[in-house]
Amino acid sequence: MAEPISRRRLLGIGAVLGAVAAGGLALSAAWARRPAETGDQLVSEVPLPQAFTIPLPLPQVLEPVASAAEGDRYEMVQVETEAEILPGYSTRLWTYNGTFPGPTIESRRGRHVTVAHRNELPVPTVVHLHGGRTPASSDGYPTDLVLPQDWSETAGHGHGGHMADDLAVVTNVQREYGFPLDQRAAMLWYHDHRMDFTAPAIWRGLAGLHFVRDDVEDALDLPRGDHEVPLMIADRAFDSDGQLKYPSLDPTLTGEIGVEERFTAGVLGDAVLVNGAPWPVHEVDSGLYRLRVLNASNARHYELEAVTDTGRRLPLVQIGADQGLLAAPVRHERLPMAPAERYDLLLDLGELPVGSKVRLANRLGEGRMKDVMQFHVVRAGRRAAIPETLATDLPEWDRSEAVAVRDFAFRAGRMNGRHGWVIDGLPFDPNRTDVTTRLGDVEVWRLIADVHHPVHLHLVGFRVLSRGGGAPLPHDAGLKDTIALRPGESAEIITRFDGYRGRYLFHCHNAEHEDMGMMANLEVT
């Protein structure tokens, strides 16, 4: 059973909040005084388009190259390409199959999926299926690299990471990832997870969606087809040539890791892209829409609200979290989203006349960052009811079942003698086991942060037990794999470590933070 945190432990963890960690960053207190964001903003050097003039793109659904009784096989090529993100400019991107976002995979619960990834980029890559219950060999551990053709370890780059790992499984050019997908229906996403360079790789375009479907979801009368709309939200900035702007210390992503000093806390862009388009508009009818929303930004937080052109706020009805459907809907006027969080939302446009416009807004933004996208009602639609009961298969772990209670402090610190981010005072080391748990064990983890830290666990979903010693917040409902810790905030989560044995991770999903040390190893035995 979980015991109250000791006074000594509380003081030890609390000492890092808004202060300088021993040998750490003198900037922690300043960052903690900026609660709407953690990071600094790049400014684009080209004119950005007027909001709500570019149609919302919808990612293509990838077809399997082979299907059999044992499952489906897909093939992807990681390749540099050019695309028109800003009107009149051709922007270089690193992509899956030449598109940003990458192609969407649609799969069924329990049906095995194999994805063969071929690396035709100039640097090593790693693919992680975020939210997937995946064997360790296919989870995308940061040193399990796929090397490009003719990659030279003698060119001063090594494997593109800065720490040797004897357990790393490195392959040349191509790797097959196997996903059993024995999990609840949910929207997952896949992205690059290469050690030291995750943040710039995602920024350049290496991200896509993966849906898992199941019979529980199918039995509900939820919007389908063109009334189910995926929305990958990501901020970016552009240089004077219309190329993606990012403050890497080494733009080749082969040598020195990290970003320019002022962006140590995170990189924020000044343009909101949805499915790769800046501030798009989507034509809809006056019906019920299911919005599958992902915050794929490196560091930016959002607080979403839906506002009509007459100033009326429409409820965002949450029916699902990171790891699938809730037990019952939760209605929000405003919904906070940290990097890597996903929400399954219903938006009812049934009372709006044709011609109405609904702005998806960001209350944390300033200037143009207050807007995300717009829905334009162009035709009448069919009214539909929102189900009041959703799923009955959510796990019901109890605090009394926990065989361990662990405390983790996420804070500023030192990595390689420079500013960085650490968990319990230690930067990431692939050769160190930080947590060992047994397959099937239930544990309670108590997390505390100095600034914003979206904490993500690989392999398992979890429930939020408390925040700041009080009840969870409304948006904490359901089964999650990422929890947003606000500056100075503590939270408790509970999970069962089941599925597979092996080496996994937990880390901050501010992508700059994870590149600069804020990851830890989890060994399931």
Side-chain angles (χ1 to χ4, degrees), residues 466-486:
S466 68
R467 280 188 186 265
L473 295 172
H475 64 273
D476 291 326
L479 196 62
K480 296 180 62 60
D481 55 50
T482 305
I483 179 172
L485 300 179
R486 299 170 297 187

Side-chain angles (χ1 to χ4, degrees), residues 10 91 156 235 342 345 347 450 483:
L10 179 62
T91 300
D235 60 334
R342 286 97 64 211
L345 305 174
L347 180 63
D450 56 354
I483 179 172

Side-chain angles (χ1 to χ4, degrees), residues 159-220:
H159 280 160
H162 285 69
M163 197 174 296
D165 177 11
D166 291 339
L167 298 179
V169 179
V170 177
T171 57
N172 290 314
V173 183
Q174 184 163 305
R175 181 175 183 137
E176 291 191 355
Y177 294 85
F179 305 120
L181 298 174
D182 183 16
Q183 60 188 103
R184 306 173 74 236
M187 184 178 79
L188 316 178
W189 65 301
Y190 59 95
H191 60 79
D192 192 73
H193 210 295
R194 174 188 169 208
M195 185 167 167
D196 301 332
F197 296 101
T198 292
I202 293 177
W203 189 274
R204 294 187 186 195
L206 290 178
L209 301 176
H210 186 135
F211 287 89
V212 181
R213 309 290 188 181
D214 69 6
D215 294 341
V216 175
E217 178 188 52
D218 290 348
L220 297 171

